[in-house]
Amino acid sequence: MFDVILESLRALVIGGILVFFVRADKDVGYGRRGYLFVKIGFLLILFGSVIDLTDNFEGLNWTVVGGNTQVQAFLEKIIGYLGGFVMLAIGFWLWLPSLHTIESFQDCLEDDKQSLGRERAELISKLDREVRKRRAVEAGLLIAEERRMMLYEKAPVPIVHGIIGGSLVEWNTAFARMLGYDSIEELSSVVREFDDPVFMWPVRAEVEAMLAALRAEKTIVNFEAHIQRKDGSIILARLDFTTVEDRDGVNYYFYCFAEDITERRAAEELLANSERKLKVMMDTMPIGLTLLDEETREVVDVNAAMLSMTGYTREDIVGRKCCKFFCQSDKALCPALEEGEAVASDERLIHMQNGDDLPVLKSVSRVVLDNRSCLLEAFVDISEQKRLEHLKEDVDRIVAHDIKAPIIGMISACKVLLMDEDTVQGEIRDILGTIEQQGRKVLNMVGMSMTIYKMEAGSYSYTPSPVDFIDVIKDVLTELGEMAESLGVTVDVRLSDGSDYMTSSLVIMGQDLLYDSMVANLLKNAIEASSAGGTVSIELNRCDPDTMLMTIENDGVVPSDIRASFFDKYVTSGKRAGTGLGTYSASLVVRTVGGRISMETSDEKNRTVISVTLPCV
């Protein structure tokens, strides 16, 4: 019974193996012939096991059936086991190389699998990087678009963009507000109502010209057009365009930057009108005008009067340095204005085109034009005035010369008569002495008038010598004593050290005639300005150490309208016979001898003080 079980188990195992090989047949791709022999071998071995198993059952015993045990042995041993093992041997002989090929193929497959895995990992990594990059690009584009929209919407410059000639046109807030609308939505609603994106352009010819230019050019600048605002008013706008082309090279999209230039254009027209008026005024003025660049001294512009005065043409002068024409200076820059001065005036000689020199009164003022510092020079032709002045000087010299002869004759006659002591005595002799003295005074005065002219012309030859200034004071007091007495004015002379001037001396450097004229003019003015019963005080200071100070003080004040020009020529006020030459002559003498002179007047104290500083050495 135990043998039957073992035989049954063996048959089952072999059958299971056979079933396994049969079921695995569809997965076998290599060595199928050997695989077939293996299956047949297991089938034959299973057949031999089944024959061997039937030998244990009487109903199935081959002896009973066949009656010959040799058949059972042949089927079991020869056909079953021997044939099966032979088939297995042949099958494995044919299949084993296939197993090696399968192993190699599996190794290749494993390598390919690993390679594909690596490639898959690389592709996944690359795809991941591409995805991240694309996301970064998309995020950047989104940020850029947000920034563009933010800049577009919040830009202070009015902007329009859209399709050229199309209905898609958009505006930013600044453009809507430029047209008087509160928002983009309000402007868009009006556009939809009119069904016309260019309804705000009232001049259709400008729109057509704009569209034609946009189709032909990529960039358009300074295109000017009229635009209608919400309230119906028309403004002038400057438009700058940039366009985008399609793949065929045709402009189809535009951006427009607008600017309201209505006020600026009005200001420009007003400025141009003012410039035209100024040009007319400059060209019609009778004085010469020249505009210079302050830094380079190049002539920027001249008027017609200046060209007529000098004989030059505009092409000769404009753009070139003034010193090459007018003053003929070797210096690149002439000192027309001192540092800090706003206006300067002086007499000059300018060189004309024909080579002559023309005397002019030149005034210079600093102006700013087009953010550039300039000098405006005005030239007044004073050649006729100079001719008359020279003629006057000639006449004065002739008159002075002609007057001297009879005065000298009168003085000589007085001397001759005074020489006869026996005949000319008493009161007649005193009268003749007075006539001789006054004649000499008149002769000195005539000489002094010529000296003043020379001082003005700068041709006076000053040679100082020691002068007792107290003697000068005494002579002037003698000369003006009667006038002071007649006006009820007292003249008080004192020295700062308290000494008596009548017995003192004060020697300084100068000339008797000049000091006599100066003191006489100043003292005469002080006496005439004083009220009756007033006192004119003359105070003399000793030399300390190189100068001497004299002050002349009187009651009364200098009129306010002549205080600033008190020492100028021909300045006078309130005098019937005043010439305005007294203080001018005195200041001229003081400057000639190297001194200083000044005037102070006080309305509170009702006093006027003239201070004169003179050189002692």
Side-chain angles (χ1 to χ4, degrees):
M1 185 65 183
F2 182 74
D3 294 336
V4 173
I5 294 172
L6 289 176
E7 289 294 337
S8 298
L9 289 175
R10 185 179 62 180
L12 288 173
V13 169
I14 294 173
I17 293 173
L18 180 60
V19 172
F20 171 78
F21 272 88
V22 172
R23 292 179 63 84
D25 181 76
K26 61 181 179 179
D27 295 328
V28 176
Y30 296 91
R32 292 191 60 82
R33 182 182 299 176
Y35 193 76
L36 177 60
F37 277 99
V38 171
K39 289 191 294 181
I40 294 174
F42 276 112
L43 179 62
L44 291 175
I45 293 172
L46 179 63
F47 175 74
S49 297
V50 171
I51 293 299
D52 186 31
L53 183 62
T54 58
D55 188 41
N56 296 307
F57 298 96
E58 292 183 358
L60 298 175
N61 191 287
W62 283 90
T63 303
V64 177
V65 176
N68 187 2
T69 58
Q70 296 299 324
V71 174
Q72 177 182 358
F74 176 78
L75 291 176
E76 176 184 354
K77 304 296 183 181
I78 301 302
I79 299 301
Y81 293 127
L82 180 60
F85 283 113
V86 171
M87 288 296 176
L88 284 176
I90 295 172
F92 282 115
W93 176 262
L94 295 175
W95 194 39
L96 285 177
S98 299
L99 292 177
H100 179 70
T101 302
I102 291 173
E103 291 178 358
S104 300
F105 182 71
Q106 287 178 345
D107 292 339
C108 291
L109 287 178
E110 186 66 26
D111 293 339
D112 291 340
K113 179 180 178 182
Q114 293 178 359
S115 177
L116 288 175
R118 288 192 297 270
E119 291 180 0
R120 178 176 176 275
E122 290 178 359
L123 289 175
I124 292 174
S125 176
K126 184 177 180 180
L127 182 61
D128 186 56
R129 288 196 301 270
E130 291 295 330
V131 169
R132 288 198 299 270
K133 186 184 298 184
R134 180 172 180 178
R135 288 177 179 174
V137 172
E138 290 176 351
L141 290 175
L142 182 60
I143 294 173
E145 180 64 16
E146 291 177 353
R147 289 177 178 175
R148 187 191 69 83
M149 291 302 299
M150 181 177 65
L151 291 175
Y152 173 74
E153 293 295 337
K154 297 183 179 181
V157 179
I159 303 176
V160 186
H161 71 95
I163 297 175
I164 299 174
S167 59
L168 177 58
V169 179
E170 296 180 352
W171 312 267
N172 69 344
T173 304
F175 187 86
R177 290 176 179 173
M178 183 180 74
L179 300 187
Y181 296 95
D182 295 331
S183 63
I184 301 175
E185 291 74 16
E186 183 182 4
L187 176 57
S188 300
S189 65
V190 176
V191 172
R192 287 192 297 270
E193 180 181 349
F194 282 94
D195 194 22
D196 183 5
V198 294
F199 79 94
M200 69 281 295
W201 271 271
V203 183
R204 291 294 169 170
E206 294 178 348
V207 177
E208 294 174 0
M210 177 181 67
L211 293 177
L214 287 174
R215 293 187 180 98
E217 301 179 22
K218 291 184 178 180
T219 303
I220 304 174
V221 295
N222 296 329
F223 186 92
E224 295 184 0
H226 294 82
I227 304 179
Q228 183 174 351
R229 287 170 51 86
K230 177 182 177 181
D231 58 6
S233 61
I234 305 297
I235 63 173
L236 181 64
R238 191 198 75 177
L239 308 175
D240 296 332
F241 293 91
T242 182
T243 61
V244 179
E245 296 181 349
D246 59 13
R247 289 180 297 179
D248 298 328
V250 179
N251 295 343
Y252 74 96
Y253 199 79
F254 72 90
Y255 264 90
C256 171
F257 302 89
E259 179 186 5
D260 184 358
I261 61 172
T262 306
E263 294 182 359
R264 189 180 73 184
R265 180 53 55 85
E268 289 175 352
E269 292 177 355
L270 180 61
L271 178 60
N273 189 35
S274 299
E275 288 179 350
R276 287 193 295 269
K277 290 181 179 179
L278 179 61
K279 186 68 175 176
V280 171
M281 292 174 61
M282 286 185 62
D283 288 339
T284 55
M285 289 184 70
I287 63 174
L289 296 175
T290 303
L291 188 65
L292 306 178
D293 186 292
E294 184 175 9
E295 182 177 356
T296 64
R297 294 300 197 272
E298 290 182 355
V299 178
V300 178
D301 198 5
V302 293
N303 70 340
M306 189 65 185
L307 298 176
S308 176
M309 184 185 301
T310 60
Y312 291 106
T313 64
R314 186 178 299 275
E315 291 74 18
D316 293 335
I317 299 176
V318 174
R320 304 181 67 180
K321 294 185 184 297
C322 62
C323 59
K324 300 296 183 182
F325 297 94
F326 302 141
C327 61
Q328 294 293 302
S329 172
D330 293 333
K331 296 182 179 180
L333 299 179
C334 58
L337 268 183
E338 297 295 336
E339 186 70 25
E341 281 187 314
V343 178
S345 181
D346 195 6
E347 291 185 7
R348 296 287 180 90
L349 289 175
I350 62 173
H351 198 69
M352 297 191 298
Q353 195 271 341
N354 61 7
D356 295 338
D357 289 331
L358 179 69
V360 295
L361 178 62
K362 176 182 177 181
S363 298
V364 184
S365 58
R366 185 174 281 107
V367 296
V368 177
L369 295 176
D370 298 330
N371 296 323
R372 179 170 61 171
S373 181
C374 297
L375 300 176
L376 180 62
E377 296 183 336
F379 299 89
V380 179
D381 184 355
I382 59 173
S383 57
E384 183 63 20
Q385 178 182 344
K386 287 296 183 181
R387 188 186 69 81
L388 294 176
E389 288 182 358
H390 292 319
L391 178 60
K392 180 178 179 295
E393 291 178 6
D394 293 339
V395 171
D396 288 340
R397 282 195 295 269
I398 293 172
V399 171
H401 180 270
D402 293 344
I403 289 177
K404 283 183 179 180
I407 293 175
I408 292 173
M410 182 182 64
I411 294 172
S412 299
C414 290
K415 283 185 176 181
V416 171
L417 292 174
L418 289 173
M419 290 174 64
D420 188 357
E421 297 180 357
D422 295 332
T423 306
V424 180
Q425 295 180 355
E427 186 177 351
I428 295 176
R429 191 174 185 86
D430 293 336
I431 292 173
L432 288 175
T434 301
I435 292 174
E436 179 187 8
Q437 182 181 5
Q438 294 301 320
R440 292 184 183 277
K441 181 69 72 174
V442 172
L443 188 62
N444 289 335
M445 291 176 64
V446 172
M448 187 61 189
S449 66
M450 295 304 301
T451 301
I452 294 298
Y453 281 122
K454 291 180 181 180
M455 289 180 182
E456 288 181 319
S459 60
Y460 179 72
S461 179
Y462 172 65
T463 304
S465 60
V467 176
D468 189 342
F469 199 74
I470 291 181
D471 288 344
V472 173
I473 297 293
K474 292 177 181 178
D475 291 342
V476 173
L477 289 176
T478 301
E479 179 183 345
L480 299 178
E482 293 183 2
M483 184 188 74
E485 186 177 353
S486 65
L487 294 175
V489 177
T490 303
V491 178
D492 178 34
V493 181
R494 61 180 180 273
L495 291 169
S496 60
D497 60 2
S499 59
D500 185 5
Y501 83 95
M502 294 298 295
T503 59
S504 300
S505 64
L506 179 58
V507 178
I508 62 175
M509 298 302 293
Q511 291 181 352
D512 288 326
L513 185 60
L514 296 182
Y515 286 154
D516 185 82
S517 173
M518 177 198 68
V519 175
N521 282 316
L522 295 178
L523 186 56
K524 180 173 179 292
N525 272 357
I527 292 172
E528 290 175 343
S530 298
S531 58
T535 300
V536 176
S537 300
I538 302 175
E539 183 175 352
L540 304 174
N541 291 268
R542 297 287 183 180
C543 292
D544 184 25
D546 300 329
T547 59
M548 184 274 296
L549 174 64
M550 174 187 70
T551 58
I552 300 177
E553 183 177 356
N554 61 275
D555 58 350
V557 296
V558 177
S560 58
D561 57 334
I562 65 170
R563 291 178 183 178
S565 57
F566 184 73
F567 293 107
D568 291 349
K569 195 174 185 178
Y570 306 127
V571 174
T572 185
S573 177
K575 295 183 181 180
R576 292 183 179 179
T579 61
L581 295 175
T583 54
Y584 172 73
S585 174
S587 65
L588 197 60
V589 169
V590 172
R591 291 198 300 270
T592 300
V593 302
R596 298 186 303 274
I597 187 170
S598 62
M599 180 274 296
E600 295 181 7
T601 187
S602 173
D603 294 318
E604 293 79 8
K605 298 179 180 179
N606 193 36
R607 304 289 290 177
T608 299
V609 179
I610 303 293
S611 300
V612 179
T613 302
L614 299 173
C616 291
V617 294

